[in-house]
């Protein structure tokens, strides 16, 4: 009994240690990565803008601005007062873009978190129990993969209403499928390891084995999917908004581009088009750069030497 | 192998049935009255009742479901409100417009992506590789509509090289025959920018995958032997290393080709391309429910079919899968 107990403790400790080494390893790998550093800095700027946007925006994003002669400032070119110019209704583009960081952060983080938690739980249960349960859960994943992403999301957002909450929910409703499939195959290999058998011999419950013993060992992969999930969720939210199904009460980068596009701003108001577009690109890019470096932690083949 | 295919076909049928049922549920069992989606505004109560009965919406749900299945099986997708024509007739041309667009984009993305990915995998550790990677990641970080907008403003509004959108000259009549419609320079001319948009967006994945696949192949002994044999770098790269790295790509092509059908919504909207994706978006905006459902049905069918192809191709290429 006592030997069993100690094996378990060692197993759990080794799992904890593996998290610790993965952490220090990822730190040392990240230190050599210029791109990841760039990503962290850009992301920090967006997080700052997202957190404090309502307090630091130069103008109310919905306010119709007037010039000195009292006329509405329609499609004004960038000036010191309006660094990114104004829209066709005289609204300040820079303030809207700063508010947009908020939407991307909320959607990216929440949708990715929900999708990864659901995907990982499905993966743990399917991989650990195997057999019928695995088969049923994997057929569910197949079905989720059979639904075309954007059409499905748009149909649902249209039916349930375009609120930020619905957009997040609908994106996560499909996004869990990729993490579920990939993490499951990793769970399958972990399941056969001795530490799982000794935990079982010591009478650990299935739940405990899955979440206390196996989970820490697949954690690097989970974090990787979480990271890429943030990037995909931001792209999906922007696409939904660009197609005109964004939350009408929020200034999402996709919504700004949608308005600019339908008003023909691509032709004559570059300042209305470039800031939101470049923001999406930079945001997603910085997340990908960080993700690529994390990937090197999980896949040694990718490291240079 | 036969057993494997039989099982996969069974899964295919299951997935397809689930898809069709989800489609039914999405458009029928919505919170609130489904007639709000169905009926144009300004209709009297009696007219509304008549319309409901005409479309069978007063029947119990399971009767509607059975009718719906029967209609789908006989290839009937209902009647569009906006066009006042059978959905199937409207969608046939649009279906092919989308398929040509996405097939073009996929072909370019995967031909160049694989070649380029193999090349930068070969250059591992050099500055060139790093720039190649950054370019691929930038392409991957840009949503399709953003790539489209950038191409539009450069090549249409600045340089004036290409038309701003559409599929043929404004006002031009659509040729009647399938062949005349797609085999002419006007069509290709309009196709360039939308295809390029898709190609740039979808190119990132083959580049990244091919690169990592190359890197693991290059670590194997037989590449060392080929080098020792004195073969040129070019021969080793494209004749030996790339060939062995290409296997995993085959399944990815099929999977992504299916997924790309969903992406057509965005590209077609930017370039006013009269395809299934744009039709779906417009139908949803205009409450043309049978049309939206029909477009969704066709797109989902393509996705499921391509997933199936990917599964089978994978099993052909990698025999271990068959004995899972």
């Amino acid at each position: 009994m006592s030997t069993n107990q100690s094996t378990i403790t060692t197993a759990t400790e080794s799992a904890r240690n593996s998290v610790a080494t993965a952490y220090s390893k990822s730190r040392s790998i990240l230190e050599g990565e210029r791109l990841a550093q760039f990503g962290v800095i850009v992301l920090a700027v967006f997080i700052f803008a997202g957190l404090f946007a309502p307090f630091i925006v130069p103008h109310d994003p919905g306010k119709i601005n007037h010039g000195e002669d009292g006329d509405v400032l329609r499609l004004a070119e960038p000036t010191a007062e309006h660094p990114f110019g104004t829209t066709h209704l005289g609204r300040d583009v820079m303030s809207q873009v700063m508010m947009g960081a908020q939407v991307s952060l909320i959607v990216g983080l929440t949708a990715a978190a929900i999708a990864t938690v659901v995907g990982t739980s499905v993966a743990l249960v399917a991989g650990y129990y195997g057999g019928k349960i695995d088969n049923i859960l994997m057929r569910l994943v197949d079905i989720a993969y059979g639904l075309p992403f954007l059409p499905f999301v748009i149909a649902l957002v249209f039916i349930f209403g375009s609120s930020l909450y619905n957009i997040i929910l609908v994106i996560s409703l499909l996004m869990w499928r990729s993490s579920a499939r990939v993490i499951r195959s990793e769970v399958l290999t972990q399941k056969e390891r001795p530490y799982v058998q000794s935990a079982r011999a010591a009478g650990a419950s299935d739940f405990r084995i899955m979440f206390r013993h196996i989970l820490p060992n697949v954690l690097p992969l989970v974090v990787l999917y979480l990271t890429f999930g943030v990037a995909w969720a931001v792209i999906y939210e922007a696409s939904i908004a660009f197609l005109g199904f964004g939350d009408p009460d929020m200034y999402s980068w996709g919504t700004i581009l949608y308005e600019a596009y339908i008003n023909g701003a691509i032709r004559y108001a570059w300042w209305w088009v470039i800031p939101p577009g470049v923001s999406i690109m930079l945001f997603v890019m910085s997340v990908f750069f960080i993700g690529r470096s994390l990937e090197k932690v999980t896949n040694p083949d990718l490291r240079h030497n | 192998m036969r057993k494997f295919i039989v099982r996969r076909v069974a899964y295919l049928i299951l997935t397809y049935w689930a898809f069709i049922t989800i489609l039914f549920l999405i458009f029928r069992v919505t919170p609130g009255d489904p007639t709000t989606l169905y009926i144009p505004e300004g209709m009297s109560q009696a007219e509304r009742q008549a319309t409901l009965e005409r479309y069978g919406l007063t029947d119990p749900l399971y009767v509607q479901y059975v009718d719906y299945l029967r209609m789908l099986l006989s290839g009937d997708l209902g009647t569009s409100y906006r066009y006042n024509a059978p959905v199937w007739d409207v969608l046939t041309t649009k279906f092919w417009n989308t398929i040509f667009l996405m097939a073009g984009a996929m072909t370019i993305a995967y031909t160049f992506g694989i070649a380029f990915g193999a090349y930068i995998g070969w250059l591992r550790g050099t500055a060139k590789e790093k720039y190649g990677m950054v370019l691929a990641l930038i392409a991957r970080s840009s949503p399709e509509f953003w790539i489209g907008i950038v191409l539009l403003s450069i090549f249409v509004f600045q340089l004036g090289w290409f038309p701003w959108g559409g599929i043929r000259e404004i006002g031009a009549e659509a040729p009647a025959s399938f062949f005349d419609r797609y085999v002419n320079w006007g069509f290709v001319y309009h196709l360039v920018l939308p295809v390029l948009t898709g190609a740039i967006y979808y190119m990132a994945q083959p580049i990244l995958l091919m690169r990592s696949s190359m890197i693991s192949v290059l670590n194997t002994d037989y590449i060392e032997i080929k080098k020792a044999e004195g073969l040129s770098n070019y021969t080793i790269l494209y004749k030996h290393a790339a060939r062995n790295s290409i296997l995993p790509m085959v399944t990815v092509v099929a999977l992504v080709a299916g997924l790309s059908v969903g992406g057509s919504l965005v590209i077609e909207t930017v370039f006013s391309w009269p395809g299934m994706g744009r039709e779906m978006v417009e139908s949803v905006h205009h409450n043309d429910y049978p049309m939206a459902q029909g477009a969704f049905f066709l797109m989902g069918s393509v996705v499921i079919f391509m997933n199936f192809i990917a599964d089978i191709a994978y099993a052909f290429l990698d025999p271990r899968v068959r004995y899972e």
Side-chain angles (χ1 to χ4, degrees):
Chain A
M1 179 65 204
S2 67
T3 32
N4 269 345
Q5 200 58 49
S6 71
T7 330
I8 299 304
T9 330
T10 340
T12 318
E13 252 169 27
S14 78
R16 283 208 194 109
N17 283 343
S18 81
V19 173
T21 26
Y23 173 74
S24 67
K25 233 195 307 179
S26 35
R27 253 193 64 180
S28 66
I29 291 171
L30 285 182
E31 270 160 15
E33 292 279 314
R34 284 263 187 75
L35 291 178
Q37 289 163 1
F38 168 83
V40 169
I41 292 168
V42 173
L43 208 57
V45 172
F46 279 123
I47 290 174
F48 180 79
L51 284 178
F52 299 107
F55 311 109
I56 55 173
V57 284
H59 302 271
D60 177 343
K63 194 184 103 194
I64 293 167
N65 293 289
H66 294 270
E68 278 172 13
D69 51 1
D71 286 348
V72 174
L73 266 182
R74 285 180 204 283
L75 295 170
E77 289 199 20
T79 55
E81 175 72 9
H82 301 285
F84 293 163
T86 59
T87 71
H88 68 309
L89 293 174
R91 293 178 170 144
D92 184 51
V93 175
M94 192 189 188
S95 308
Q96 294 194 351
V97 170
M98 285 167 81
M99 296 296 281
Q102 216 173 19
V103 177
S104 290
L105 276 173
I106 297 174
V107 174
L109 292 177
T110 345
I114 298 175
T116 314
V117 168
V118 173
T120 309
S121 314
V122 169
L124 283 170
V125 171
Y128 180 73
Y129 286 109
K132 255 192 192 142
I133 294 175
D134 182 33
N135 208 350
I136 291 171
L137 287 173
M138 285 306 108
R139 294 296 76 74
L140 270 179
V141 173
D142 280 353
I143 291 167
Y145 263 106
L147 295 165
F149 206 118
L150 268 181
F152 178 75
V153 166
I154 278 164
L156 283 195
V157 166
F158 175 69
I159 288 164
F160 295 115
S162 353
S163 71
L164 199 62
Y165 180 76
N166 284 343
I167 291 175
I168 292 172
L169 223 63
V170 169
I171 291 178
S172 15
L173 197 60
L174 276 197
M175 224 169 60
W176 64 276
R177 60 192 189 183
S178 46
S179 49
R181 196 177 260 181
V182 176
I183 294 170
R184 168 189 166 264
S185 42
E186 184 60 29
V187 172
L188 283 180
T189 68
Q190 291 291 333
K191 191 175 88 174
E192 305 303 329
R193 303 269 171 99
Y195 75 89
V196 173
Q197 283 157 14
S198 41
R200 200 178 293 139
S205 69
D206 289 342
F207 185 84
R208 196 182 158 81
I209 296 176
M210 279 189 278
F211 287 90
R212 286 290 299 238
H213 298 285
I214 298 181
L215 181 60
N217 285 294
V218 296
L219 205 56
L221 203 58
V222 174
V223 174
L224 189 68
Y225 268 81
L226 184 72
T227 316
F228 286 134
V230 173
W232 290 121
V234 169
I235 290 186
Y236 283 128
E237 190 277 332
S239 306
I240 296 166
F242 177 74
L243 292 174
F245 298 97
D247 187 333
D249 300 329
M250 306 286 271
Y251 292 96
S252 138
W253 293 329
T255 316
I256 302 173
L257 276 173
Y258 167 67
E259 299 233 315
Y261 179 81
I262 56 173
N263 287 298
I266 306 175
R267 215 180 276 257
Y268 47 78
W270 56 270
W271 56 86
W272 190 6
V273 177
I274 291 177
V278 169
S279 299
I280 300 175
M281 216 168 88
L282 278 177
F283 189 107
V284 176
M285 211 156 74
S286 58
V287 175
F288 273 143
F289 284 161
I290 297 170
R292 285 304 290 183
S293 301
L294 288 178
E295 205 167 13
K296 289 184 185 169
V297 180
T298 54
N299 184 359
D301 265 355
L302 296 175
R303 282 174 224 158
H304 302 302
N305 36 40
Chain B
M1 188 69 196
R2 238 184 81 193
K3 223 177 120 195
F4 177 83
I5 291 183
V6 168
R7 198 169 56 206
R8 281 289 141 183
V9 170
Y11 289 167
L12 172 73
I13 294 169
L14 179 76
T15 313
Y16 208 60
W17 168 78
F19 165 68
I20 288 171
T21 307
I22 290 171
L23 194 60
F24 174 79
L25 292 175
I26 288 179
F27 288 98
R28 271 339 127 95
V29 196
T30 55
D33 186 3
T35 55
T36 48
L37 293 178
Y38 251 107
I39 289 169
E41 286 163 39
M43 195 178 242
S44 77
Q45 200 56 42
E47 281 174 324
R48 191 183 143 173
Q49 194 58 35
T51 317
L52 281 179
E53 272 165 24
R54 184 149 55 93
Y55 288 106
L57 284 175
T58 44
D59 296 336
L61 208 58
Y62 69 91
V63 176
Q64 288 188 37
Y65 181 61
V66 172
D67 281 348
Y68 160 85
L69 286 184
R70 194 180 299 137
M71 266 171 74
L72 273 189
L73 284 178
S74 59
D76 182 358
L77 293 174
T79 309
S80 157
Y81 301 142
R82 225 150 30 105
Y83 295 88
N84 205 11
V87 167
W88 187 250
D89 293 355
V90 180
L91 277 181
T92 341
T93 2
K94 305 207 179 239
F95 175 79
W96 287 109
N97 290 346
T98 297
I99 297 295
F100 276 108
L101 170 62
M102 293 329 279
M106 282 293 134
T107 314
I108 296 175
Y110 276 80
T111 329
F112 284 88
I114 287 174
F116 188 65
Y119 182 65
I120 63 171
W122 176 260
L123 293 176
R124 179 151 81 116
T126 64
K128 263 191 194 164
E129 186 224 2
K130 209 160 194 181
Y131 293 130
M133 285 290 292
V134 172
L135 276 182
L137 284 172
I138 289 176
R140 205 181 186 185
S141 311
S142 317
E144 287 146 300
F145 61 87
W146 175 241
I147 300 175
I149 285 175
V150 170
L151 292 183
L152 257 185
S153 53
I154 296 175
F155 291 105
V156 179
F157 298 126
Q158 295 296 321
L159 300 170
W161 288 359
F162 291 102
W164 58 272
I167 196 166
R168 60 182 65 85
E169 292 301 314
I170 297 166
E173 205 50 40
S177 85
F178 187 80
F179 188 80
D180 290 343
R181 205 177 293 144
Y182 297 111
V183 188
N184 65 66
W185 285 114
F187 175 72
V188 174
Y189 183 52
H190 283 78
L191 188 67
V192 173
L193 285 186
V195 160
L196 198 61
T197 305
I200 292 174
Y201 182 75
Y202 289 104
M203 201 181 287
Q205 190 167 20
I207 292 177
L208 298 174
L209 270 178
M210 190 66 193
R211 170 183 165 273
S212 47
S213 173
M214 269 299 269
I215 287 173
S216 44
V217 169
L218 287 176
N219 284 338
T220 55
D221 292 338
Y222 79 89
I223 295 294
E224 288 299 317
I225 294 172
K226 290 293 164 198
K227 279 186 193 158
E229 281 175 7
L231 295 177
S232 75
N233 276 349
Y234 183 83
T235 318
I236 300 176
L237 166 57
Y238 285 108
K239 224 176 153 191
H240 300 283
R243 268 197 191 178
N244 283 289
S245 319
I246 222 161
L247 272 183
M249 302 298 299
V250 178
T251 52
V252 176
V253 176
L255 270 180
V256 176
L259 291 178
S260 76
V261 173
S264 69
L265 263 69
V266 178
I267 299 181
E268 291 177 1
T269 303
V270 174
F271 290 99
S272 315
W273 187 261
M276 263 188 308
R278 181 156 166 267
E279 192 54 50
M280 156 115 200
V281 175
E282 303 248 302
S283 312
V284 171
H285 275 305
H286 290 96
N287 288 358
D288 188 352
Y289 141 81
M291 198 70 193
Q293 196 185 35
F296 195 139
F297 171 75
L298 280 184
M299 287 190 274
S301 305
V302 174
V303 174
I304 293 174
F305 180 69
M306 293 315 282
N307 287 357
F308 175 71
I309 299 284
D311 269 349
I312 300 292
Y314 194 36
F316 260 111
L317 295 172
D318 190 345
R320 284 170 297 180
V321 178
R322 289 173 228 164
Y323 307 106
E324 63 176 31

